[in-house]
Amino acid sequence: MFRVCSNIEIGKFKFDYINEVENTSSWKNLTDTATIKLPRKLVTKDNQLLQDVVKKGDKVVIKLGYDDKLEQVFTGYIAYIKATIPVEIKLEDEMFMLKQKSVKPT
């Protein structure tokens, strides 16, 4: 019997549990995306809610696997946080950083 394992890093926070994770990769969109759903009452060691501590642009690394054999499946940044139940964090890959810069025609 396989045991599902996860390791999520958001900024300086690390945890090994999630409600749900979805990863989408497509060459048509040019941007890989992921969605993490976390318990709403997830607190840090300082008794702060996680959704109050993390912010748009924080780096995220998602590792998933079985029986402690984890593989990195996504690296990117927080695009936005939906304060629903459970908390939904939308992520984008390195393309997120490119989208933050404006280009002026010359």
Side-chain angles (χ1 to χ4, degrees):
M1 182 85 131
F2 291 112
R3 183 177 49 91
V4 178
C5 299
S6 65
N7 185 355
I8 311 293
E9 297 177 23
I10 300 178
K12 62 181 180 177
F13 302 104
K14 297 179 183 182
F15 46 93
D16 59 359
Y17 45 88
I18 51 175
N19 283 10
E20 184 179 332
V21 65
E22 180 181 333
N23 186 13
T24 306
S25 179
S26 170
W27 63 270
K28 291 182 182 180
N29 295 333
L30 300 177
T31 302
D32 293 348
T33 60
T35 303
I36 302 173
K37 293 184 180 179
L38 299 168
R40 185 163 176 90
K41 299 289 185 177
L42 188 61
V43 294
T44 65
K45 291 179 182 178
D46 302 330
N47 277 343
Q48 294 178 306
L49 291 174
L50 185 68
Q51 68 261 25
D52 295 337
V53 179
V54 298
K55 60 187 180 309
K56 180 179 176 179
D58 283 353
K59 188 162 179 74
V60 178
V61 177
I62 301 174
K63 296 177 184 177
L64 302 173
Y66 295 98
D67 296 329
D68 295 323
K69 295 177 184 166
L70 299 173
E71 290 186 28
Q72 186 168 315
V73 296
F74 187 84
T75 302
Y77 301 90
I78 295 176
Y80 62 91
I81 301 171
K82 289 175 73 175
T84 57
I85 298 175
V87 174
E88 203 171 300
I89 302 175
K90 300 287 188 175
L91 312 169
E92 293 183 5
D93 65 356
E94 295 294 330
M95 187 67 85
F96 173 80
M97 296 306 277
L98 185 62
K99 291 178 183 178
Q100 302 308 306
K101 300 189 187 271
S102 61
V103 178
K104 296 180 182 177
T106 56

